[in-house]
Amino acid sequence: MIANEVAYNGKVEGDVIVTKADAVINWIRKHSVWPMPMGLACCAIELMASAASRYDISRFGMEVMRFSPRQSDCMIVAGTVTYKMAEVVRRIYDQMGDPKWVVAMGACASTGGMYRSYAVMQGVDNIVPVDVYVSGCPPRPEALLDAMMKLQDKIGKESSVKALTKSASAVSS
Amino acid sequence: MNFVDLLFLGFATLALGGGILMIFSRHPVSAALFMIISMVSVAGLFVLLEAFFLAILQVLVYAGAVMVLFLFIIMLLDVGPEGAKSSRLKLVSGFAGVACFSILIVLSLLLVFDSSPISQASTLWPALDQNSLVNGENLVFSTRVKSFGFGLFTKYMLPIQVAGFLLLAAMVGVIILSKKVIREEKV
Amino acid sequence: MIEFMQSLEIWQILAIKIVFALMMIGAVMTMAGYSVLAERKVSALMQGRLGPNRTVLPIIGSVPIIGPFLQGLGIFQPLADGLKFLFKEEIVPGHVNKIYYYLAPIIALVPALTTMTVLPFGEFFTGAGETIPLMLADLDVGILFILAVSSLGVYGIVLAGWSSNSKYPFLGGIRSSAQMISYELAMGLSLLPIFLWVSKPGVEVSALSLVEIVNSQHQANWLLLVQPVSALIFLIALFAETNRLPFDMPESETDLVGGFHTEYGSFKFGIFFVAEYAHIVIGSAIFTIIFLGGWHFLPWMSDPWPANWVGTILGVGWFLTKTVGLIFFFIWIRWTLPRFRYDQVMDLGWTKLLPLALANLLFYIVLVTWLDQSAL
Amino acid sequence: MESITPQHFLILAFLLFGVGFLGVVIRRNLLLVLMSLELMLNGVNVALVTFSRTGQNLDGSLFVFFIMTVAAAEVAVGLALLVALYKKRRSIFSEDAGLLQN
Amino acid sequence: MSPTTTKEISIGDVAAREAAGINQMDGEDRMALNVGPSHPTTHGVLRLILELNGDLIEKCEPVLGYLHRGDEKIAENMTYNQFVPYTDRLDYLSPLANNVAYAISVEKLTGLELPERCQAIRVLVCELARISSHLLGMGVFGMDAGAWTPFMYTFTEREKLYTLFEELTGARFTTSYTRIGGVARDIPEGWLDRVSKFCDELPFATDEVEKLLTRNRIFLDRTEGIGQITKEDALAYGLTGPNLRASGIDLDLRKDKPYSGYEKYDFDVPIGTRGDCYDRYLVRIEEVRQSIRIIKQVIADFPSGAWYAEDAKKIFAPPKEKILSSMEELIQNFMIVTEGPQIPSGEVYFEAENPKGALGFYIVSKGGGVPYRMKIRAPSFCNLSILEKLVPGHQLSDITVILGSLDFVMGECDR
Amino acid sequence: MIDQDFIDELLVKHEYLSLVSHEDCLTLSCNRDHWLNFASYLSLEETFDLLVDLTAIDHGEDAEVRFSVVCHYYSRVHHDYIRVHVECASNENPEILSISSVYPSADWHERETFDMFGIRFTNHPNMKRILMWDEYPYFPLRKEFPLAGIDTPLPAPDVVEVTDASVEPAPMMGGPFVSSGSGPMSDSEPRAKDESWTEKSEKPV
């Protein structure tokens, strides 16, 4: 590292400026991510594994898997999204309250994976905005945990206050 | 105007308002909820009258059991709001209702301004004698539960037995009624 | 103390009471919040997991030993979860009945908090050798008050189920109303023998007073030992009334998704969540008062603490210990037993608990009469 | 304004009874008719307790106790009848309950 | 702070269109209820449209296809070996057993005889897969009945199995272990000892689960007499596997049509009597015990020799070191990788007794390395077809238990 | 195991049957008018009470008889399967009798066969798609249908409105590489078999 780069460089930390209020809200949000398990296929078993005793997603406070979309913050799309299922995934995503995040778990959810066929949607990002992609078929539970930590990092960098006021004004207008 | 007066006014308004809203609400569920408000307010009035035991019974029996039953039935039958379907009865009953109501208002107005025996006889809120259960032949009003028990099991022994039988009869009746419905359904 | 109280204006007493009430609400809500954490931690313990241990406040986390310790306990997890609800979008589905939809969570929470007004949680020793029970209102029909008010809690659930205008919540609402009506009966009947036992001929104070019940267990049997059947019935009914597994019909997760609160999100759901645990906290406290001797030490023993403020604190602490133990029991059962089916719950209530409660009552009527007669 | 008197309670009792009566007469939904009946009984209860309190006599209060008992029984039977009626007629409106109509 | 918005979409709406149709057909106090496809009880993406009368189910219409990924079409477009990974993802609770079933059916088409060691490895992994699948089945069944803790206990055991799988195949979950004509690699050193150690420890864990469930009064109330399938129905609807055996029919392909050397091992086939959910649960637990028995026999008499068919030059790719050193092997490898294993034309149907039931492959070959048509006979698909008949007459809460006891996997049901 | 006597007897009894092969299991070809009779015969008079599988084969667009239905029965007495081939009537609108009245398990198999091949089973109680959604216009397992799929609208219009998603042909680039195995060397190079989207031909617009 050259000496003149030792000084503060916003790029290193992702070039975001987070205000105090943002920091508080983000702290709250990132430590209370309640997943909505969209267990569609094989990855759902690894999702279960990450909630089970060895990997224990509850350490992050994320074992509160709510099956009602209204009570969850983060949709983990675990498995192959077929065209028939896509509509359901989208509807459930719509029912989640803001702020909401989506984790595409596994190759199928990310890109369609090995299922290049007529019935499979080539990536869930066709219908819902994805925040974190996890590679693997299926990803190991460690990978999912890593993705959740990445998601926490991402939440930590959001400008939440702006988003809050913006959506409030959008509603009032 | 003191604190108790305020409470009285509040409870009275709620009780009466709840009742009126109840009979005029279109949806049975809202009717039931207004009814609950009314009943709890009546319980509040009982408290003002220092009948604590009755107040609690009022909440326990009416709000806790009777109205839950009502709500349960409303949901079970999935009764919607009354439609615009008019009935011949409605006009007649409307007239009758308005008539009755006005008579009642007149009656109560008379009561207020008339110096009837009731309003004169009572020294407004007589002090309570908490220590004795009976005063001669009469049971003495008291806030304690004990006096209720005493009254029920001495002077009102026969009525309480009758009430017990009544409840039993009601229970049997309800069971028979609901049984019959099921049998008819099967046929 | 009493003179002091009598010297006050009514609004001053009111103000003091309100302050106390707020303090108690705070205490109960905190306990409710942390019983959620306890649930997560205890379940983790039972299943060989760790439970929440990553959440930590930035500054406290950097304190050398205490920080990591608190972090490991997950102390900050409820903080994050509770506050998150505040910053989450409030979704009101288009098909709901708005007024009742908003009303329902409040109705669910208020009775749970109201019952605590008559809950004694300790006693205060004045210098003159008097003991004053610590409670907001010493009602001589305290237990009836609790039964009456807690029976109102069902409205919250019923209304939530109905106003959501959606099928799963509706089923949850119907189930819960039937269940709560059924078990209230058994609960009330299981308490009658207690009153019979506690009230002695010639005693002026009503045996319906919770303080009286607690004091009757001082240096004597706990009522749990005298009336085990009543305690059992009461406990089962308590499980049913608080909608805990194995009786969590209104929200059975696997078949009704979330039951009555399926359509609720963010803050309103949070209130339901807290209300459920507040019910558990209060229920445990009531069971402690009636059957476990309240703040008194152990059966047949006089309290080992002195009759001054230290004793007061120790008594309250002992009371809380028992309550927390019961909360643990609630959690323990939840993570051990499977769930009943709805009709089995009703069956248990009407054909098993109710006859048992009646038989229990008859038995104690005969027993108490016989004891009284032989004493005379 | 002067303090409240027993008369106030009595007026309220009358009004409650009246409102209940009005409900019985004007509503067609039998569920609401039943509820209105309960309201009438409540009015009576208020009056009875007031008399009991002012007359220093417990009889009135005890009477309220009995009224509540009877009311609970009445509601149970009434609702059971109503459900039976609903199963037969698919309606809980009073005009549909007539046997000889239509 | 938090803005309030109104949204018009509800869970019920997804079903509303189709449910409304049913609603009109029958009486008016029926309620159409949509269960799934994202619902905790459906273990994936099964969807049931129920018609309720009170709490009683009058009609049940399963809707499948939410996980239809076109496996059969994919199979027609790739070589036999390329399809092995797709078989992992059929019944994703027991990938190893699927691999074996697939490999055997292709080998049957070629008439290939495998060396004993290879067969023993396959039996071993099949039984391990069965244990893994049944463990999850038991745990999830308990979870459906409301008991969460047994699920965690069984999953802990599964994690131990995963470790073993990982050591054997390199992947913990989707193993792709078999090849046509053998297995991907020989067993690692000391692995058998670790397997037998696992088998010694497993009974303690299952006993623990049994303590929590088997004699639990509530669990019995929930499962006994619920979802009873008679012998006749079980056969008529083509049930296989534990679900069929729980109804009292003694059909286990490992005994009746032994493959891969199952005839050498001594084991019992547990049979239920009443065919209810409880019996299905008991049969699974007993099958785990029998699997341990088989595994112990396999390990006790583990054959040495080659772990792949050495004579199958056009089918099984030669070992890596030979490819790098010998021209002939290099060409052989190139041909197998590019054109696929050369399979003669013909048709074959083979069923293997998988944890969920009989997993069948019907392969029509016209020669070459690509199948002309491959039909996968998925046990879950057949087992679920009885739902339409089984569910009506039960209560809503029974559905969770019935579905849990049928122990299906949508991956192979929808393919 | 099924022995030769059994086969002979079967063939004599039912003249509409013909023996195809007996390699892995007894394979019979059955006349389509009698196949329901034969199914009920197998179920009621023989011991083949388990219908394990029912599917179809598409013999290609040029074949004389394009679709044939294949059925596997299992006998718990013989411990063996019988495979029955039946040819479908028409190449354009293939039709065949349903055997779900005899074997209830055939119900879903037949629906699946209809879904995948478009073979209509007459007298079936509920002949509609089972795996694909109801409005799906194609039959995926027919030989002319590309693996990648064909552009169709998504079944949910409201979701399409928001997301602008549709059923698109899957990208085959880097997909399964298969060589034809015959012809000149340049043609037998392994390549993505389904050519809806490769390096050479662009993604269809």
Side-chain angles (χ1 to χ4, degrees):
Chain A
M1 187 76 68
I2 314 164
N4 60 3
E5 279 197 11
V6 173
Y8 177 76
N9 181 353
K11 290 256 177 351
V12 176
E13 283 171 27
D15 214 4
V16 277
I17 300 144
V18 179
T19 64
K20 279 267 163 57
D22 278 339
V24 171
I25 296 177
N26 289 343
W27 181 87
I28 290 165
R29 282 183 177 165
K30 82 181 190 190
H31 286 105
S32 173
V33 180
W34 291 8
M36 152 97 212
M38 279 301 282
L40 304 175
C42 332
C43 294
I45 307 297
E46 289 296 66
L47 182 60
M48 279 168 155
S50 61
S53 305
R54 189 195 265 184
Y55 295 99
D56 192 18
I57 203 169
S58 73
R59 288 175 293 154
F60 302 87
M62 291 173 189
E63 87 274 36
V64 204
M65 304 237 178
R66 307 302 311 185
F67 277 92
S68 170
R70 306 202 190 286
Q71 297 154 10
S72 41
D73 309 298
C74 164
M75 183 158 83
I76 302 180
V77 184
T80 319
V81 185
T82 60
Y83 286 116
K84 196 170 179 177
M85 192 66 199
E87 115 185 69
V88 184
V89 175
R90 175 69 202 193
R91 269 180 228 277
I92 288 179
Y93 175 79
D94 278 342
Q95 289 174 56
M96 289 165 61
D98 283 325
K100 52 191 170 187
W101 301 277
V102 178
V103 173
M105 181 184 178
C108 294
S110 305
T111 66
M114 56 199 273
Y115 288 100
R116 302 277 171 86
S117 78
Y118 56 93
V120 176
M121 178 165 264
Q122 302 298 308
V124 74
D125 45 7
N126 280 324
I127 44 164
V128 291
V130 176
D131 292 274
V132 181
Y133 296 88
V134 193
S135 63
C137 187
R140 297 176 62 95
E142 293 99 321
L144 180 68
L145 293 183
D146 181 53
M148 296 313 277
M149 286 158 81
K150 286 270 191 310
L151 183 67
Q152 285 187 331
D153 290 347
K154 187 178 173 181
I155 295 169
K157 287 174 190 160
E158 280 174 358
S159 8
S160 316
V161 177
K162 207 189 263 175
L164 269 180
T165 47
K166 199 170 73 186
S167 55
S169 62
V171 169
S172 58
S173 62
Chain B
M1 175 171 264
N2 63 24
F3 189 64
V4 180
D5 290 358
L6 270 179
L7 279 181
F8 171 78
L9 274 183
F11 283 133
T13 321
L14 278 177
L16 207 58
I20 291 169
L21 285 172
M22 186 271 283
I23 63 165
F24 287 113
S25 57
R26 282 167 53 79
H27 203 292
V29 171
S30 5
L33 287 174
F34 286 128
M35 190 68 191
I36 294 163
I37 292 174
S38 177
M39 281 169 168
V40 175
S41 317
V42 168
L45 290 171
F46 286 173
V47 172
L48 292 186
L49 287 168
E50 298 185 1
F52 301 124
F53 182 61
L54 282 179
I56 284 168
L57 272 191
Q58 170 90 8
V59 176
L60 194 64
V61 173
Y62 277 116
V66 169
M67 292 318 291
V68 177
L69 208 58
F70 266 108
L71 262 185
F72 185 70
I73 297 293
I74 291 171
M75 287 188 174
L76 201 69
L77 304 185
D78 202 13
V79 189
E82 267 176 58
K85 187 179 130 194
S86 68
S87 109
R88 276 169 294 141
L89 274 174
K90 201 172 179 181
L91 206 64
V92 181
S93 58
F95 270 122
V98 171
C100 292
F101 197 63
S102 43
I103 290 171
L104 276 169
I105 288 176
V106 170
L107 259 179
S108 47
L109 282 176
L110 278 177
L111 264 177
V112 175
F113 297 112
D114 190 42
S115 53
S116 63
I118 309 167
S119 57
Q120 267 189 345
S122 61
T123 51
L124 292 177
W125 299 106
L128 289 178
D129 175 16
Q130 291 283 15
N131 291 322
S132 63
L133 291 171
V134 266
N135 177 15
E137 287 287 290
N138 294 326
L139 298 160
V140 172
F141 184 86
S142 113
T143 60
R144 290 172 308 157
V145 188
K146 199 170 187 176
S147 49
F148 266 84
F150 183 79
L152 284 178
F153 286 100
T154 51
K155 193 173 177 185
Y156 288 94
M157 195 58 192
L158 184 65
I160 205 171
Q161 305 276 346
V162 173
F165 274 108
L166 184 75
L167 282 177
L168 184 67
M171 197 168 85
V172 173
V174 169
I175 290 173
I176 288 172
L177 269 174
S178 39
K179 272 252 158 76
K180 203 174 172 189
V181 169
I182 291 167
R183 204 186 314 131
E184 270 175 20
E185 247 186 355
K186 272 181 186 158
V187 172
Chain C
M1 190 74 188
I2 295 169
E3 291 82 45
F4 170 69
M5 288 295 276
Q6 278 166 349
S7 69
L8 293 174
E9 289 287 320
I10 188 157
W11 64 268
Q12 282 173 317
I13 295 176
L14 212 65
I16 290 174
K17 291 265 174 183
I18 285 174
V19 170
F20 274 124
L22 287 179
M23 278 166 64
M24 271 193 84
I25 287 178
V28 171
M29 295 294 258
T30 315
M31 276 184 85
Y34 277 91
S35 18
V36 179
L37 177 70
E39 174 120 81
R40 292 166 78 171
K41 274 295 195 185
V42 171
S43 70
L45 188 76
M46 290 175 145
Q47 297 165 349
R49 297 186 287 122
L50 284 172
N53 69 352
R54 293 293 164 113
T55 310
V56 69
L57 277 172
I59 301 159
I60 299 172
S62 51
V63 177
I65 297 163
I66 304 162
F69 176 69
L70 292 180
Q71 181 188 0
L73 283 181
I75 292 293
F76 307 105
Q77 189 63 45
L79 197 67
D81 282 338
L83 289 174
K84 178 194 70 177
F85 289 131
L86 278 178
F87 296 109
K88 189 120 174 98
E89 183 191 26
E90 292 268 335
I91 296 182
V92 181
H95 50 78
V96 301
N97 201 324
K98 290 235 172 45
I99 301 166
Y100 304 125
Y101 182 77
Y102 279 109
L103 210 59
I106 301 165
I107 295 183
L109 182 62
V110 166
L113 295 179
T114 313
T115 44
M116 82 195 178
T117 50
V118 295
L119 270 188
F121 51 89
E123 50 189 6
F124 182 75
F125 302 96
T126 58
E130 284 178 280
T131 54
I132 302 167
L134 287 172
M135 64 201 297
L136 280 176
D138 188 0
L139 225 58
D140 76 341
V141 283
I143 187 68
L144 276 183
F145 179 82
I146 285 175
L147 283 181
V149 174
S150 65
S151 69
L152 296 181
V154 67
Y155 287 115
I157 293 172
V158 171
L159 274 185
W162 177 77
S163 70
S164 293
N165 206 0
S166 169
K167 284 164 188 169
Y168 289 112
F170 182 71
L171 285 172
I174 287 227
R175 286 180 181 191
S176 95
S177 56
Q179 175 185 328
M180 289 180 116
I181 295 177
S182 314
Y183 278 79
E184 239 159 50
L185 213 57
M187 194 184 232
L189 279 178
S190 75
L191 287 178
L192 286 181
I194 303 286
F195 305 144
L196 284 178
W197 188 264
V198 173
S199 59
K200 297 179 186 73
V203 175
E204 282 308 310
V205 187
S206 160
L208 293 173
S209 157
L210 287 167
V211 180
E212 199 54 34
I213 291 176
V214 172
N215 283 332
S216 78
Q217 300 174 68
H218 186 215
Q219 294 188 345
N221 277 328
W222 281 0
L223 284 169
L224 176 72
L225 303 171
V226 185
Q227 307 202 333
V229 182
S230 293
L232 183 71
I233 297 170
F234 187 80
L235 193 66
I236 294 175
L238 203 59
F239 268 94
E241 295 277 307
T242 48
N243 295 325
R244 288 289 290 187
L245 211 116
F247 298 101
D248 62 341
M249 290 308 109
E251 48 174 325
S252 47
E253 262 167 6
T254 43
D255 58 329
L256 294 186
V257 188
F260 65 90
H261 58 57
T262 306
E263 295 283 344
Y264 280 86
S266 64
F267 196 60
K268 294 190 284 300
F269 168 65
I271 294 179
F272 273 126
F273 211 63
V274 169
E276 186 191 327
Y277 285 92
H279 271 293
I280 293 167
V281 172
I282 302 264
S284 306
I286 294 172
F287 190 85
T288 310
I289 287 168
I290 298 179
F291 293 102
L292 295 181
W295 51 87
H296 294 304
F297 186 57
L298 283 176
W300 300 297
M301 282 175 74
S302 57
D303 296 346
W305 37 74
N308 54 26
W309 61 270
V310 180
T312 304
I313 291 173
L314 283 176
V316 172
W318 185 234
F319 174 76
L320 284 179
T321 313
K322 287 177 185 172
T323 309
V324 168
L326 264 172
I327 294 174
F328 172 76
F329 182 73
F330 268 85
I331 296 170
W332 184 12
I333 291 290
R334 153 134 195 212
W335 294 97
T336 307
L337 290 183
R339 176 185 297 118
F340 277 112
R341 203 175 59 209
Y342 168 60
D343 64 320
Q344 287 164 351
V345 169
M346 301 305 282
D347 188 62
L348 182 75
W350 287 105
T351 67
K352 308 230 165 56
L353 280 192
L354 194 61
L356 187 66
L358 279 173
N360 184 43
L361 175 62
L362 278 178
F363 174 74
Y364 278 100
I365 286 174
V366 173
L367 186 71
V368 168
T369 317
W370 181 69
L371 283 178
D372 285 358
Q373 291 298 322
S374 56
L376 283 175
Chain D
M1 188 181 158
E2 63 179 307
S3 187
I4 48 155
T5 58
Q7 280 92 332
H8 288 90
F9 278 94
L10 290 179
I11 294 163
L12 181 72
F14 267 123
L15 286 177
L16 276 179
F17 187 87
V19 171
F21 186 70
L22 188 69
V24 172
V25 175
I26 65 165
R27 287 312 292 248
R28 300 179 299 124
N29 190 331
L30 287 177
L31 268 168
L32 279 160
V33 171
L34 262 179
M35 278 192 225
S36 305
L37 273 176
E38 296 301 313
L39 197 63
M40 287 167 71
L41 288 178
N42 264 324
V44 173
N45 285 353
V46 172
L48 278 173
V49 175
T50 315
F51 286 135
S52 169
R53 177 71 181 86
T54 49
Q56 287 278 41
N57 191 321
L58 199 64
D59 291 347
S61 297
L62 288 174
F63 224 81
V64 172
F65 183 85
F66 286 114
I67 289 179
M68 282 182 187
T69 318
V70 174
E74 171 225 313
V75 166
V77 177
L79 286 179
L81 276 170
L82 231 156
V83 172
L85 181 78
Y86 183 80
K87 295 261 173 193
K88 242 185 151 66
R89 298 282 167 101
R90 302 249 146 251
S91 158
I92 52 162
F93 293 124
S94 49
E95 71 264 20
D96 297 324
L99 264 181
L100 296 175
Q101 282 176 3
N102 306 331
Chain E
M1 228 6 189
S2 32
T4 301
T5 51
T6 305
K7 292 192 173 176
E8 295 285 346
I9 301 170
S10 81
I11 299 180
D13 288 355
V14 183
R17 277 165 293 157
E18 279 165 63
I22 301 176
N23 225 11
Q24 284 158 4
M25 282 182 339
D26 292 285
E28 37 199 279
D29 58 346
R30 306 275 153 75
M31 177 161 104
L33 185 72
N34 178 54
V35 179
S38 173
H39 186 278
T41 188
T42 56
H43 297 185
V45 288
L46 175 67
R47 173 171 158 207
L48 303 173
I49 298 173
L50 305 175
E51 208 179 296
L52 294 176
N53 182 2
D55 235 5
L56 220 62
I57 297 164
E58 303 232 313
K59 201 176 148 201
C60 163
E61 195 198 339
V63 181
L64 318 171
Y66 288 97
L67 194 52
H68 174 62
R69 310 188 269 202
D71 273 334
E72 289 173 16
K73 188 82 182 174
I74 290 172
E76 289 174 18
N77 284 282
M78 52 177 55
T79 61
Y80 288 99
N81 269 333
Q82 278 177 326
F83 192 66
V84 172
Y86 289 86
T87 60
D88 287 339
R89 288 151 183 86
L90 287 174
D91 170 4
Y92 39 74
L93 298 179
S94 53
L96 282 163
N98 301 343
N99 294 162
V100 170
Y102 172 69
I104 293 180
S105 45
V106 182
E107 282 153 15
K108 245 187 133 185
L109 200 55
T110 63
L112 202 61
E113 280 297 321
L114 292 186
E116 280 203 341
R117 185 179 175 87
C118 176
Q119 290 193 344
I121 294 176
R122 284 183 175 187
V123 168
L124 194 62
V125 295
C126 270
E127 293 310 311
L128 284 177
R130 190 181 316 278
I131 292 173
S132 140
S133 169
H134 284 348
L135 277 178
L136 190 89
M138 279 151 53
V140 170
F141 186 40
M143 197 163 84
D144 283 334
W148 284 76
T149 307
F151 166 72
M152 293 293 178
Y153 289 170
T154 57
F155 223 102
T156 310
E157 296 308 305
R158 265 178 75 92
E159 287 290 348
K160 292 180 192 164
L161 268 175
Y162 277 153
T163 317
L164 291 174
F165 291 166
E166 206 172 346
E167 208 177 332
L168 176 69
T169 69
R172 61 182 243 127
F173 189 80
T174 39
T175 50
S176 307
Y177 183 52
T178 58
R179 297 289 178 271
I180 317 298
V183 290
R185 71 192 71 171
D186 199 7
I187 51 168
E189 210 162 307
W191 189 70
L192 289 179
D193 299 335
R194 288 187 280 278
V195 172
S196 49
K197 182 161 166 280
F198 169 76
C199 289
D200 292 336
E201 287 168 358
L202 182 63
F204 296 107
T206 45
D207 286 352
E208 204 156 46
V209 173
E210 282 215 83
K211 255 182 229 160
L212 279 171
L213 290 180
T214 308
R215 289 278 133 214
N216 187 318
R217 189 69 238 170
I218 302 175
F219 185 72
L220 283 171
D221 280 350
R222 282 302 298 277
T223 55
E224 262 185 326
I226 302 300
Q228 266 188 325
I229 305 175
T230 60
K231 281 185 185 186
E232 293 73 31
D233 277 351
L235 277 176
Y237 281 90
L239 262 61
T240 44
N243 295 336
L244 179 69
R245 291 193 282 275
S247 293
I249 290 174
D250 182 7
L251 171 61
D252 189 324
L253 294 168
R254 292 176 295 174
K255 283 265 189 219
D256 294 351
K257 274 180 87 67
Y259 54 92
S260 198
Y262 263 113
E263 66 276 5
K264 283 185 283 190
Y265 308 111
D266 182 32
F267 62 97
D268 298 324
V269 179
I271 303 289
T273 48
R274 290 161 301 181
D276 56 5
C277 295
Y278 188 59
D279 271 7
R280 290 195 275 278
Y281 161 80
L282 289 184
V283 164
R284 290 211 171 81
I285 286 200
E286 188 52 35
E287 279 193 11
V288 169
R289 300 219 172 87
Q290 295 301 328
S291 291
I292 296 177
R293 217 173 128 194
I294 297 175
I295 291 171
K296 284 193 172 154
Q297 291 173 47
V298 176
I299 293 178
D301 184 24
F302 205 76
S304 53
W307 44 273
Y308 58 92
E310 284 170 308
D311 49 342
K313 292 261 186 261
K314 290 205 157 184
I315 292 167
F316 194 84
K320 188 119 185 174
E321 59 273 12
K322 282 193 182 167
I323 297 173
L324 296 176
S325 57
S326 145
M327 190 63 197
E328 190 190 342
E329 260 83 16
L330 181 64
I331 294 171
Q332 187 193 337
N333 184 55
F334 179 76
M335 296 297 280
I336 287 172
V337 169
T338 56
E339 294 179 4
Q342 294 306 302
I343 307 293
S345 63
E347 53 183 344
V348 74
Y349 182 75
F350 172 75
E351 274 182 343
E353 186 65 37
N354 260 31
K356 303 274 182 288
L359 175 68
F361 287 92
Y362 171 56
I363 303 172
V364 180
S365 163
K366 300 208 164 167
V370 180
Y372 183 75
R373 161 102 179 97
M374 181 186 305
K375 155 85 187 185
I376 302 159
R377 188 258 182 211
S380 297
F381 184 76
C382 304
N383 291 349
L384 278 183
S385 68
I386 202 170
L387 276 183
E388 255 166 295
K389 183 173 165 59
L390 184 63
V391 167
H394 285 97
Q395 296 195 4
L396 180 60
S397 311
D398 289 333
I399 280 208
T400 54
V401 183
I402 290 174
L403 289 181
S405 75
L406 285 177
D407 192 24
F408 56 92
V409 170
M410 289 317 284
E412 69 173 358
C413 177
D414 291 345
R415 282 150 293 157
Chain F
M1 285 294 139
I2 293 174
D3 52 11
Q4 195 59 42
D5 298 344
F6 178 82
I7 302 171
D8 294 341
E9 196 193 323
L10 207 63
L11 289 175
V12 170
K13 248 189 202 168
H14 307 282
E15 67 278 4
Y16 49 82
L17 289 178
S18 57
L19 183 69
V20 177
S21 73
H22 189 189
E23 280 165 4
D24 64 317
C25 63
L26 175 63
T27 308
L28 300 166
S29 172
C30 181
N31 186 305
R32 63 174 154 270
D33 301 327
H34 293 93
W35 99 296
L36 182 60
N37 296 341
F38 185 55
S40 50
Y41 169 79
L42 282 178
S43 157
L44 300 174
E45 286 165 54
E46 287 293 339
T47 54
F48 290 84
D49 47 7
L50 193 61
L51 173 97
V52 287
D53 189 29
L54 187 151
T55 185
I57 303 176
D58 177 6
H59 295 289
E61 282 172 285
D62 312 326
E64 196 176 319
V65 179
R66 187 168 172 193
F67 296 101
S68 60
V69 170
V70 187
C71 207
H72 289 89
Y73 304 94
Y74 182 74
S75 160
R76 289 181 296 132
V77 176
H78 295 285
H79 293 317
D80 210 347
Y81 303 97
I82 282 187
R83 180 187 301 135
V84 181
H85 282 262
V86 197
E87 291 171 347
C88 291
S90 150
N91 279 1
E92 279 71 45
N93 293 309
E95 252 188 14
I96 199 162
L97 269 173
S98 161
I99 57 167
S100 61
S101 52
V102 184
Y103 291 97
S105 60
D107 184 332
W108 280 20
H109 285 298
E110 285 172 0
R111 277 177 70 186
E112 190 199 331
T113 310
F114 167 69
D115 193 355
M116 292 291 128
F117 290 92
I119 299 173
R120 196 165 276 282
F121 288 80
T122 44
N123 297 336
H124 187 281
N126 188 18
M127 193 82 258
K128 63 177 191 186
R129 282 180 179 273
I130 187 167
L131 294 179
M132 304 303 283
W133 56 97
D134 283 341
E135 302 85 34
Y136 194 68
Y138 307 105
F139 301 107
L141 275 183
R142 288 190 175 183
K143 283 290 170 190
E144 79 271 13
F145 185 85
L147 171 62
I150 299 172
D151 238 330
T152 28
L154 259 187
D158 49 338
V159 171
V160 175
E161 204 176 294
V162 187
T163 60
D164 204 24
S166 76
V167 179
E168 291 168 345
M172 281 295 145
M173 204 149 60
F177 286 91
V178 176
S179 68
S180 61
S182 58
M185 196 59 186
S186 56
D187 286 346
S188 64
E189 278 284 297
R191 67 187 59 194
K193 187 168 182 211
D194 192 290
E195 298 183 350
S196 64
W197 179 23
T198 62
E199 293 95 329
K200 275 181 191 163
S201 58
E202 284 299 301
K203 182 184 175 187
V205 184

